[in-house]
Every structure is written in structure tokens, then in C-alpha cells.
Amino acid sequence: MSPSLPSGLLGTLDPTSDRAVFRQIADQLREAIDRGRFREGEKLPSEAELVDHFGVSRMTVRNSFSILQGEGLVHAEHGKGVFVRPRPPVRRLASDRFTRRHREQGKSAFIVEADTVGGHPQVDSLEVKEIKASPDISARLGSVRRVLSRYRRYLLDGRPVEFATSYLPLDIARGTQIAEPNPGPGGIYARLEDLGHRLDHFDEEIRSRMPSPAEVKTLNLAAGVPVFHLIRTAYDTEGRAVEVCDTVMASDAYVLSYRLPAT
Amino acid sequence: MSPSLPSGLLGTLDPTSDRAVFRQIADQLREAIDRGRFREGEKLPSEAELVDHFGVSRMTVRNSFSILQGEGLVHAEHGKGVFVRPRPPVRRLASDRFTRRHREQGKSAFIVEADTVGGHPQVDSLEVKEIKASPDISARLGSVRRVLSRYRRYLLDGRPVEFATSYLPLDIARGTQIAEPNPGPGGIYARLEDLGHRLDHFDEEIRSRMPSPAEVKTLNLAAGVPVFHLIRTAYDTEGRAVEVCDTVMASDAYVLSYRLPAT
DNA sequence: CAGTGGTCTAGACCACAAT
DNA sequence: TTGTGGTCTAGACCACTGA
């Protein structure tokens, strides 16, 4: 069987060009995707078809695909083909998501956010324990030795989108409902306020990087999808850091949104 | 010449494992890097050495390297070797960087930020022109047809770290100093206030994704480095959107920092 | 010059998906 | 069973780096 491509879908190579053949092929595919000749979720020509069309070896074609995968443009499915990666719906995180108004409605931040996009939120892998604080966490919490850690993973419509670990000083959290798997309505921030730690503000640090293999697994990430790494510190009105939350998020599932003062 | 590896630096393969050989090699190198057996900037064993050590073909070794490149852990230099990618110093962008206090000191935001890390800031590729607004920009600015666009690229200590395009409604910016390449002390935000548009707040949207080939070129990005894509809208005290700034930043050069209200 | 990574070929066998 | 991508080999020639 000799596969063949609809003529005109893709062009030809320029043998006089300095640009490597596999880059030229990647360029053509990228441009075709950008121009909408291949739509989201649509299958690209198979490796065999491209080998025939361009008259190159299979490894050369695979090299082209690997470029596009690295750019997050396509993803391969074993036995099926290579497809234009669909852009999943994004969740918009607004900077008012931790306001008291929401806590008083008994909603945790993740639920508040999920409401705004109409998805089905879910939490799994909840794990609460006491551990030794890492140097970084200790510094952020003001030199504490041991902390309560709360790990959980969040899913939206069944897809894992972020996982997070909260760290709290033992003198605040031990023996309270914060140390329970289910902290109750409004989440741990509501409980902190119940305990007399009136929250003043949060500081959030945002980084972006490629995920580790473990993160790829936990978030079921496609190739070419970076993660947001977000570290939030909660301060009470006395200026004490009462919680640090370390979150890793699938970057293709989020748009972070903040309001900055001009004055 | 038969290259050989210091024994004990790397282990052996597990032929019974389901894990592909090139993944096993990548795993070993990654772990060695994580454990600090190879330090930042240090050269990894050459392809030939690994071919000898593991008894595999060269393509298999190259596949391993390509995994690590995709993770942003290493970068290859033609003719020299493969090196552990150094983490460049990051610039910390605080959420008070657009406050009037800074503008009144005659400093633009980029200069303010650069001051805080002690680097040498620089701007090039300045380009100012009038263009038709894209649908997105038009929507953000409140249905304007044409806009003034200001493009510039920022460097820190000679390294390009971000490029940005600002869009302003013509009825505000045309014929003013904002339409000049050099907008004067305090930047365009100071000029907007001079023109009577007292700034109230900014909204910032943050996305993260892999860069396009053009962005790789403009920012001189290494493989496996995502970009921040930041869209900021400036509002005056009358609630009008007076500027939209579209910025693409090398994510390994930045930590974004925001303060969120708790009330 | 020798050593390095960059590109490319022409095969091979395998595992997975759909029919 | 056929077509798909996943892995691997054993070469080849090239371009860049540094001594």
C-alpha cells in the first residue's frame, strides 16, 4: 500500500536551504496548523505518508514531529496517529478568590473557581501529616521546626489540573479541624479565622518551568506543556505567616489574573 | 581513542525492565544531576562515552539527551558538549511596581525592577506606529478601531529577557510624547497621568506556554524554557481602559509576585 | 588535528488501535 | 490483519570547537 497526501496540503523541500530538512518539514506542518488547515484534534498525515511525500527517511519525519511536540502543538497517540493538540478550557483564577466573602459562603477557593467555569470539581489523594519543615518552608513561616502538611490533588471534570501542599505551624494547627482530612466549610482559611487568626493578605510567587517526570504523571501532562509553580503565604493581621501553600498547576488549564494598585 | 567513564558515576541498564533504554539512561543522568554529581554548567559525559558505557547506539543516547533538554535540565553546545543548564538569576516582579511613587521618581517599571536586582537594564528594538487593532485588543480597550502600538525589547546584563507591545487608543496618544520613541521620565504611565488620565489600577492576565520559534529567536531561549505571556490592562479613575500591554517573558528569568487581599 | 554534537539513511522488531 | 507510532541499530557525512 502506498499512502499518498492530498496535493497542495504540504509543499516541497528546498534542498538549497541551510535549514535542516526535519526543520523545514516541522515549519510546513506548523504553518499548516497555524493557518487552520489542520484543526484542533485533527490527525496529521502519518509518518509513512510524510516519508513518501518528502522522500526522506522515517527518523527525519519523526524528528519533525518531536519539534512540534516540544512546542506543545501536537501529541502522538500510539497506534492512532499524531494529532493537533486541542486547547482545553482554561480556568480563570481571579485575585479576589481568597476574600472573606467567599469563605463566609462556606466555599473553598477551588470550589469558588470551579463555579465560575461551570466544571465539576473534585479532590483526591488527600493526605495530612506532621513533618519536619524544609529550610525554605521554615524560613517563610518564621523559623518553625515542624509543620502540619496537607497534600491534595484537584481535578476538574475528571482531569487532574493541580496538586498542592499546605504547611502550617503546629502551634496553630495541631489538634484542630485543620489537622482533619476534611477541614469543613470554607476550607482551612475559614478555620484559621475561627481560631482567631484574622487573615490580612496573601503573597503569591509564580514561576513557570517544564514539569519533572513525577509531575507529568500526577497531572497527566501532554508533551510541551509547562507548569505554573505557585507559592502562597498567608498572613494574619498581626503580620504572622500562618500558612504556606505550594501548588503545581497544569499551565494549559489556567489563566492567572491579578489586580495591581496604581497608587 | 576509546573514551571511558569514571566507574561509579553512572549505573547499568536493566534489560528486564519495561522502561525503554533511552529513558533509563535519561533517568540515570537526571538523578545524577539532581544529586549534584553534575553541577550547574558542568559538562555531561559525551555521546561517545555513553555509547561505550551503556553499549547502545548513538541515537539511543541522543534520545536520552533530548528528553533532558525538553525538561530544561541540560543544553547542548555544538562542538563542545552537553551541559547542565545553569539557572540564571531571576528578576522578582513585585506587585507594587506600577505605583505612582515609582513613576514620580521618573523611573519606568523595567528600571525599577532592574534596580532591585542590581543588573544593567537596556532597551532596544523600539518601534512606534499606528495600526489597526486586533479584535482582542479592541475588545480590551473598549471597541477602538485603530491604536498606537509601541514595541520594545528589554535586556538585562545583555541578555534579552522580555519583549512587549503596548496599545493605546489614538484619541489619547496621538500627537503626544507617548507617540515618541522616548516617552520621557516615568514612562508612558507618567505621560498618561500628565494628560489627565489618573491611573486607578491594572489588571494582569498570566499564561504560560512553550515559545514559538520566533520567540525563541527574539529571547535567545534555551530548549525546555517556557515563556510567561502577560497581558496587562491599565484603567484610569473613570474606569476607562487606557492601555493594553502584551508581554512575553523568558520564564527562567522571572519570579512574578503578587499581593492578594484577604478581605 | 581530534573530539564534539547535528543531520540523515535504511533498515529492523515491537506494541497498540481499529477493523 | 493492517496501519499506526515506539524503540533501536550501525553506519555515514557534516559543522563547530579548541588545542
Side-chain angles (χ1 to χ4, degrees):
Chain A
M1 171 72 209
S2 92
S4 82
L5 230 51
S7 73
L9 231 188
L10 293 174
T12 55
L13 299 176
D14 174 6
T16 71
S17 167
D18 278 350
R19 194 147 177 89
V21 172
F22 74 94
R23 291 189 201 283
Q24 292 187 47
I25 296 177
D27 290 344
Q28 291 202 22
L29 292 169
R30 189 188 304 107
E31 194 181 324
I33 293 170
D34 288 345
R35 288 171 183 266
R37 301 178 74 92
F38 300 108
R39 297 168 193 280
E40 286 191 11
E42 196 173 334
K43 185 178 168 300
L44 295 182
S46 73
E47 293 176 355
E49 285 171 325
L50 292 173
V51 162
D52 273 25
H53 179 82
F54 289 113
V56 297
S57 81
R58 190 175 158 220
M59 283 311 293
T60 301
V61 168
R62 282 182 62 77
N63 249 329
S64 311
F65 278 149
S66 117
I67 289 189
L68 299 179
Q69 284 202 43
E71 293 171 0
L73 281 181
V74 307
H75 70 109
E77 292 182 37
H78 197 169
K80 295 208 261 187
V82 177
F83 301 83
V84 179
R85 194 161 68 82
R87 318 249 174 274
V90 296
R91 312 178 54 219
R92 199 168 279 272
L93 297 204
S95 49
D96 70 348
R97 65 191 187 280
F98 295 117
T99 55
R100 188 162 293 120
R101 172 169 55 90
H102 289 134
R103 283 195 295 284
E104 287 173 346
Q105 291 172 355
K107 295 177 175 178
S108 73
F110 190 80
I111 308 294
V112 169
E113 301 149 13
D115 278 358
T116 68
V117 280
H120 170 60
Q122 212 175 326
V123 181
D124 70 358
S125 314
L126 202 60
E127 193 177 66
V128 185
K129 54 185 176 183
E130 293 186 7
I131 59 165
K132 184 172 174 301
S134 72
D136 179 62
I137 296 298
S138 175
R140 290 174 193 269
L141 284 177
S143 301
V144 301
R145 186 183 299 269
R146 292 183 63 81
V147 290
L148 184 80
S149 99
R150 296 180 51 90
Y151 169 85
R152 64 274 188 202
R153 187 174 72 152
Y154 298 97
L155 301 91
L156 198 68
D157 296 326
R159 183 205 162 184
V161 289
E162 66 173 279
F163 62 88
T165 309
S166 279
Y167 303 93
L168 299 104
L170 285 187
D171 70 282
I172 292 179
R174 180 183 263 167
T176 72
Q177 202 174 352
I178 295 174
E180 303 296 324
N182 182 355
I188 60 177
Y189 294 141
R191 292 299 80 69
L192 282 168
E193 300 217 306
D194 292 348
L195 292 167
H197 296 281
R198 193 163 176 81
L199 295 175
D200 185 70
H201 69 276
F202 303 86
D203 275 343
E204 247 171 30
E205 281 184 10
I206 308 170
R207 290 174 180 75
S208 164
R209 54 171 172 75
M210 292 314 281
S212 71
E215 291 165 340
V216 167
K217 203 173 170 190
T218 303
L219 295 177
N220 197 220
L221 293 171
V225 178
V227 290
F228 281 120
H229 185 177
L230 201 143
I231 302 173
R232 178 178 56 247
T233 307
Y235 293 91
D236 67 14
T237 50
E238 294 176 356
R240 178 177 182 191
V242 292
E243 185 234 21
V244 170
C245 184
D246 185 298
T247 307
V248 176
M249 314 157 85
S251 72
D252 63 353
Y254 285 95
V255 177
L256 309 180
S257 173
Y258 295 90
R259 173 158 299 199
L260 306 186
T263 51
Chain B
M1 171 69 210
S2 91
S4 82
L5 230 51
S7 72
L9 231 187
L10 293 173
T12 54
L13 300 177
D14 174 5
T16 72
S17 167
D18 278 350
R19 192 146 178 90
V21 172
F22 75 93
R23 289 187 203 283
Q24 292 188 47
I25 296 177
D27 290 345
Q28 290 203 20
L29 292 169
R30 188 188 305 105
E31 193 182 325
I33 292 170
D34 288 345
R35 287 172 184 267
R37 301 177 75 90
F38 300 107
R39 298 169 191 280
E40 286 194 11
E42 195 172 336
K43 186 179 167 302
L44 296 182
S46 73
E47 295 176 354
E49 285 170 325
L50 292 173
V51 163
D52 273 24
H53 179 83
F54 289 112
V56 297
S57 80
R58 190 173 160 222
M59 283 310 294
T60 301
V61 169
R62 283 182 62 78
N63 248 329
S64 312
F65 278 151
S66 119
I67 289 189
L68 300 178
Q69 283 202 43
E71 292 171 1
L73 282 182
V74 308
H75 69 107
E77 293 182 35
H78 197 170
K80 295 207 258 186
V82 176
F83 301 83
V84 179
R85 194 161 68 80
R87 314 252 171 269
V90 296
R91 311 178 54 216
R92 199 168 278 272
L93 296 203
S95 49
D96 70 347
R97 65 193 189 277
F98 295 116
T99 54
R100 187 162 294 118
R101 173 170 52 91
H102 289 134
R103 283 195 295 285
E104 287 173 347
Q105 291 172 355
K107 295 177 175 178
S108 72
F110 189 80
I111 308 294
V112 169
E113 302 148 12
D115 277 358
T116 68
V117 278
H120 170 60
Q122 211 176 327
V123 182
D124 71 356
S125 314
L126 202 62
E127 194 176 67
V128 185
K129 53 185 176 181
E130 292 186 9
I131 60 166
K132 185 173 174 301
S134 71
D136 179 62
I137 296 297
S138 175
R140 290 175 193 270
L141 284 177
S143 301
V144 300
R145 185 183 300 270
R146 292 184 63 80
V147 288
L148 183 79
S149 99
R150 297 179 50 91
Y151 169 85
R152 64 277 188 200
R153 187 173 71 153
Y154 297 95
L155 302 91
L156 198 68
D157 297 326
R159 182 203 164 188
V161 289
E162 66 174 279
F163 62 88
T165 310
S166 279
Y167 304 93
L168 300 105
L170 285 187
D171 70 284
I172 291 179
R174 179 183 264 167
T176 73
Q177 201 173 352
I178 295 173
E180 304 295 324
N182 182 354
I188 60 177
Y189 293 141
R191 292 299 80 70
L192 282 168
E193 299 217 305
D194 293 348
L195 292 166
H197 296 279
R198 194 164 176 80
L199 295 175
D200 185 71
H201 68 276
F202 303 86
D203 276 343
E204 247 170 30
E205 279 184 11
I206 308 170
R207 291 174 179 76
S208 163
R209 54 171 173 75
M210 293 312 281
S212 70
E215 291 165 342
V216 167
K217 203 174 171 189
T218 303
L219 295 177
N220 198 220
L221 292 170
V225 178
V227 290
F228 281 121
H229 185 177
L230 200 145
I231 302 174
R232 178 177 57 247
T233 308
Y235 294 90
D236 67 14
T237 50
E238 295 178 355
R240 178 178 180 190
V242 292
E243 185 234 21
V244 171
C245 184
D246 185 297
T247 307
V248 175
M249 313 158 85
S251 73
D252 63 354
Y254 285 95
V255 178
L256 309 181
S257 172
Y258 295 90
R259 173 159 297 199
L260 306 185
T263 50

